[in-house]
Amino acid sequence: MILNPKLLIVDDERGIVDMIQSYFQTQYDILTAYSGQEALKKVVCKPDLILLDINMPGMDGLTVCQQIREHISCPILFLTARIESSDKIIGFQAGADDYIVKPFDLDELGARIAAHLRREQRRQNNSAVRFFGELILDYSARTVTINNQNIPLSKREFEIVELLSLNAGQVFDRERIYELVWGLDGDGNSDTIMEHIRKIRAKFAAHTLHNYIETVWGCGYRWNA
């Protein structure tokens, strides 16, 4: 029997919890919590994704996220009435994967939940380690080594390498890379991809002559294994 993914909804507004639960109860096994303290108790049920309200009295969503992130790896989507860029940065640093701004469209919310669950499933299904000649990628440990030398990559740099290497030979334009790595609510634009890839190439070039990220002129980038 195929089990439905577990969705934990955390919000002090019971009307919002009831609305989300009613909409998704045929697709997911729903867990609910109405406070930060209750959310901490419910995470022992190992949800596959958490919808977490930021502005709750007592323990807010940021605090909950910070406390549980070291112990769980599932996607965490913040629910918030309004959001500034500075607040987003704080949330992402706390461990959030996405933001849902209230009021939200339930169909869009469903699409975002499904997209994060698919991405998480792909991560679990992919081999933890892949070898590309002198370069070794450990997707679980999120490390890259070339000729036994560790290559320090930022979170976004590793995710770009991860995306391209898991789809070796496929060409991705800058817009598509940005959408897949930064998500639907990214604050920047696709021009940042060029700078990130420049930095990745520079780090790789210090240890190998092979060009692992190839530019396909007028189209984008692809992994050159």
Side-chain angles (χ1 to χ4, degrees), residues 7 33 36 86 164 202 205 222:
L7 178 63
S86 58
L164 296 178
R222 69 182 169 199

Side-chain angles (χ1 to χ4, degrees), residues 173-190:
D173 62 28
R174 286 183 297 165
E175 290 73 18
R176 185 60 175 155
I177 295 173
Y178 188 82
E179 177 185 342
L180 292 170
V181 173
W182 268 258
L184 297 173
D185 278 341
D187 288 328
N189 57 60
S190 61

Side-chain angles (χ1 to χ4, degrees), residues 2 23 26 55 89 91 108 122 145 165 168 184 194 201 217:
I2 299 176
Y23 189 83
T26 60
N55 299 312
I89 292 171
E108 180 184 347
R122 286 196 298 269
T145 57
S165 63
L184 297 173
M194 296 176 63
R201 284 172 166 167
W217 295 107

Side-chain angles (χ1 to χ4, degrees), residues 117-184:
L117 289 173
R118 284 196 301 269
R119 185 174 184 181
E120 194 68 16
Q121 188 62 48
R122 286 196 298 269
R123 286 184 187 275
Q124 295 174 9
N125 290 340
N126 286 318
S127 174
V129 180
R130 290 195 180 186
F131 299 84
F132 301 97
E134 60 202 354
L135 184 149
I136 302 173
L137 269 168
D138 187 327
Y139 298 103
S140 296
R142 300 177 70 80
T143 59
V144 180
T145 57
I146 298 177
N147 292 320
N148 297 319
Q149 296 295 312
N150 183 61
I151 311 301
L153 298 181
S154 70
K155 179 178 184 292
R156 296 300 189 192
E157 289 169 357
F158 183 86
E159 288 176 348
I160 291 172
V161 169
E162 179 182 37
L163 171 66
L164 296 178
S165 63
L166 289 174
N167 299 276
Q170 182 176 343
V171 178
F172 291 86
D173 62 28
R174 286 183 297 165
E175 290 73 18
R176 185 60 175 155
I177 295 173
Y178 188 82
E179 177 185 342
L180 292 170
V181 173
W182 268 258
L184 297 173

Side-chain angles (χ1 to χ4, degrees), residues 12-213:
D12 63 304
E13 296 186 48
R14 290 181 176 269
I16 290 179
V17 174
D18 292 344
M19 176 183 67
I20 298 174
Q21 180 176 14
S22 177
Y23 189 83
F24 292 113
Q25 60 187 357
T26 60
Q27 299 171 254
Y28 305 113
D29 290 338
I30 304 295
L31 304 168
T32 61
Y34 301 99
S35 68
Q37 291 83 355
E38 189 178 0
L40 295 181
K41 297 177 182 178
K42 291 294 180 72
V43 295
V44 299
C45 298
K46 297 182 178 179
D48 296 293
L49 184 141
I50 299 173
L51 293 175
L52 180 59
D53 182 35
I54 292 181
N55 299 312
M56 294 184 291
M59 183 182 293
D60 63 17
L62 286 170
T63 303
V64 172
C65 186
Q66 290 169 337
Q67 291 198 17
I68 67 177
R69 182 41 97 194
E70 291 186 5
H71 307 287
I72 65 166
S73 61
C74 75
I76 298 176
L77 282 60
F78 275 147
L79 301 173
T80 181
R82 60 184 184 277
I83 194 71
E84 302 293 339
S85 295
S86 58
D87 296 322
K88 281 189 175 183
I89 292 171
I90 294 172
F92 286 129
Q93 289 174 340
D97 294 282
D98 204 350
Y99 275 89
I100 309 296
V101 179
K102 301 175 183 177
F104 48 80
D105 180 84
L106 284 168
D107 289 335
E108 180 184 347
L109 176 60
R112 295 219 192 173
I113 291 173
H116 281 285
L117 289 173
R118 284 196 301 269
R119 185 174 184 181
E120 194 68 16
Q121 188 62 48
R122 286 196 298 269
R123 286 184 187 275
Q124 295 174 9
N125 290 340
N126 286 318
S127 174
V129 180
R130 290 195 180 186
F131 299 84
F132 301 97
E134 60 202 354
L135 184 149
I136 302 173
L137 269 168
D138 187 327
Y139 298 103
S140 296
R142 300 177 70 80
T143 59
V144 180
T145 57
I146 298 177
N147 292 320
N148 297 319
Q149 296 295 312
N150 183 61
I151 311 301
L153 298 181
S154 70
K155 179 178 184 292
R156 296 300 189 192
E157 289 169 357
F158 183 86
E159 288 176 348
I160 291 172
V161 169
E162 179 182 37
L163 171 66
L164 296 178
S165 63
L166 289 174
N167 299 276
Q170 182 176 343
V171 178
F172 291 86
D173 62 28
R174 286 183 297 165
E175 290 73 18
R176 185 60 175 155
I177 295 173
Y178 188 82
E179 177 185 342
L180 292 170
V181 173
W182 268 258
L184 297 173
D185 278 341
D187 288 328
N189 57 60
S190 61
D191 291 340
T192 192
I193 299 300
M194 296 176 63
E195 179 62 16
H196 278 74
I197 288 180
R198 183 193 67 78
K199 291 180 179 178
I200 295 168
R201 284 172 166 167
K203 292 176 180 180
F204 284 6
H207 300 277
T208 180
L209 297 176
H210 186 79
N211 181 26
Y212 282 96
I213 299 180

